[in-house]
Amino acid sequence: QVQLMQSGAEVKEPGSSVTVSCKASGGTFGAFAVNWVRLAPGQGLEWVARIIPVLGAPKNALKFQGRVTITADESTTIAYMTLRGLGSDDTAIYYCARESHGDPYYFEDWGQGTLVTVSS
Amino acid sequence: DIQMTQSPSSLSASIGDRVNITCRASQAISNWLAWYQLKPGTAPKLLISAASNLQSGVPSRFSGSGSGTDFTLTISSLQPEDFATYYCQQANSLPVTFGQGTRLEIK
């Protein structure tokens, strides 16, 4: 069973950037896609981006185009998400989630979540 | 993008009740559908994949059905630990999209 451990809570000013990390332990890292999903206060789950570590080729939701960068380092088994140009509506819990078995886009394993608060 | 519409948005029920949550996709997605359970302070939990495939360790009182555009999550006999928010998610194509959630509360 894969365990995903995320970095700690962040408080950021509007307009700044945040980087959240997600370290995988147990199981194979490179071949399985890592996704980022967020949950904003009073809102539902929202998919942000996806990467397959061994391939790269990140994909992201159109609303984050130009603001999000995701990477994955096979040597350290850590995935990263950087979100730039933060606004108050980016305040949310950000989860990494891994597709750990055969069919794509099913999120079997999740990190514990990282609360990002955007406030001046 | 494929839009996912859940109903109801909230539901009050009692221990032992049978409940159904429905999810409709804006276009046919075959059986590429997942259901997740979310409790405050915890990460989402995948309950069902491929519309009806119960994940390991998930109680058998949970079941899923449907294909094409219409799907249902059924909890056959509610237990105290089932009170949570449930989300459907289409796994047909990127961008992955979720329903707006159904909050299941104790009556």
Side-chain angles (χ1 to χ4, degrees), chain B residues 18-58:
Chain B
R18 178 185 182 92
V19 300
N20 292 313
I21 298 169
T22 63
C23 181
R24 174 165 288 176
S26 61
Q27 64 188 71
I29 58 170
S30 185
N31 67 337
W32 297 107
L33 186 101
W35 290 98
Y36 297 86
Q37 178 191 65
L38 181 57
K39 297 181 180 180
T42 70
K45 177 182 179 181
L46 176 64
L47 299 176
I48 288 171
S49 63
S52 61
N53 182 28
L54 199 67
Q55 296 300 289
S56 175
V58 176

Side-chain angles (χ1 to χ4, degrees), chain A residues 35 37 39 43-47 50 59-62 95 101 103-108 110-113, chain B residues 31-34 36 38 42-46 49-51 55 87 89 91-96 98 100:
Chain A
N35 294 260
V37 176
L39 182 67
Q43 305 296 309
L45 294 170
E46 181 176 33
W47 178 76
R50 177 184 192 259
K59 304 289 185 186
N60 56 261
L62 204 58
Y95 297 98
H101 297 101
D103 293 324
Y105 315 141
Y106 292 118
F107 307 149
E108 287 97 343
W110 294 72
Q112 82 276 21
Chain B
N31 67 337
W32 297 107
L33 186 101
Y36 297 86
L38 181 57
T42 70
K45 177 182 179 181
L46 176 64
S49 63
Q55 296 300 289
Y87 292 89
Q89 174 234 318
N92 181 77
S93 58
L94 293 180
V96 164
F98 294 87
Q100 78 276 21

